[in-house]
Amino acid sequence: MEIQHLRSFLAVASGGGYLRAAVKALERELGIALFERRGRRAVLTLAGSALVEEALTKAGLAYQVGLEARGWEAIKTYAGRDSA
């Protein structure tokens, strides 16, 4: 699953509308309906609600890993100065 699909899904879930192509691509990839279409509106299905929770967790972890990696680089840079 692409992280961009999760980001698109979260944007749609929080706003109530939907970006047809991104959501349909994710639904096809997962093989489940994430939204129930009601005219111009979209309402989360039970599977969609569950995915919101998982996507928020995964997106948070990805963000945390990025912060940690930047911290490691700062430590490496600082440690390199001491040994130079």
Side-chain angles (χ1 to χ4, degrees):
M1 180 180 325
E2 298 289 326
I3 192 73
Q4 184 56 43
H5 287 157
L6 288 176
R7 287 185 181 130
S8 297
F9 170 74
L10 288 172
V12 170
S14 67
Y18 60 96
L19 305 168
R20 192 175 305 253
V23 172
K24 292 252 186 215
L26 182 57
E27 288 178 324
R28 274 193 307 274
E29 182 177 338
L30 297 174
I32 56 174
L34 300 172
F35 293 94
E36 179 183 319
R37 278 76 176 177
R38 296 182 182 168
R40 297 182 71 185
R41 289 191 39 90
V43 178
L44 285 169
T45 62
L46 288 176
S49 293
L51 184 58
V52 166
E53 296 301 320
E54 283 298 313
L56 287 170
T57 299
K58 302 295 189 247
L61 288 173
Y63 179 75
Q64 183 178 352
V65 167
L67 288 177
E68 289 174 4
R70 286 189 289 280
W72 298 329
E73 185 60 32
I75 291 169
K76 178 180 150 191
T77 301
Y78 182 76
R81 289 182 189 164
D82 286 345
S83 63

